[in-house]
Amino acid sequence: MTRREFLKSPEMNKVRKNINSCAITGYIISVLSLLVNLFLFDNPSGIIDSILIVILCVLIHVLQSRVAAIILTVYGVLNMIIMSIAMGRLSGWWILLIGIYSVVYTFKFQKAWKEEKEFSQN
């Protein structure tokens, strides 16, 4: 069984759906962030922010990358702190929330995949 087949297996249904949800929500947040940065704040450097989020979400979506999930979470913490200071209220917490869920479910998948490989070798 390949890694992709294992991800699509019935026992990984919940994990797969949660990983996909995190990635898709990340794509949506990235587009919204880009639009707000460009049109509301007239801040073209927001493009870099959006590109970074999209790249990390693609890695989470396609590769179930734990490293990308951890980086997204760290970025979410930094983003939340900076945005909260700049806005004077709690802001930017969506990215942190997506990152936390991504970490949880990518680790669950990788653990299950490791167990599946060990089981199939025996």
Side-chain angles (χ1 to χ4, degrees):
M1 176 181 291
T2 66
R3 189 168 176 259
R4 180 70 48 202
E5 290 169 341
F6 180 68
L7 179 64
K8 292 182 180 181
S9 68
E11 62 262 16
M12 286 288 103
N13 190 36
K14 181 180 177 186
V15 171
R16 181 182 70 248
K17 284 182 180 179
N18 280 298
I19 290 173
N20 290 344
S21 297
C22 288
I24 291 167
T25 306
Y27 302 145
I28 293 168
I29 295 296
S30 177
V31 169
L32 292 175
S33 173
L34 178 64
L35 294 174
V36 167
N37 275 311
L38 289 178
F39 298 115
L40 191 62
F41 296 127
D42 195 31
N43 179 16
S45 65
I47 295 170
I48 296 168
D49 174 61
S50 295
I51 290 172
L52 177 65
I53 295 170
V54 167
I55 289 170
L56 292 172
C57 288
V58 165
L59 292 172
I60 291 166
H61 198 181
V62 175
L63 301 176
Q64 300 78 43
S65 172
R66 293 174 288 192
V67 173
I70 291 168
I71 292 171
L72 184 63
T73 304
V74 170
Y75 179 74
V77 169
L78 296 173
N79 183 60
M80 187 180 73
I81 292 169
I82 292 168
M83 289 297 297
S84 295
I85 291 170
M87 301 295 250
R89 60 183 168 80
L90 183 63
S91 299
W93 55 272
W94 277 99
I95 297 171
L96 176 59
L97 190 63
I98 294 166
I100 291 169
Y101 275 105
S102 297
V103 167
V104 169
Y105 286 102
T106 55
F107 271 82
K108 281 185 180 184
F109 172 74
Q110 297 296 344
K111 180 182 177 190
W113 173 236
K114 181 180 176 185
E115 290 171 357
E116 174 66 24
K117 285 193 312 187
E118 289 172 357
F119 178 75
S120 65
Q121 289 176 352
N122 293 331

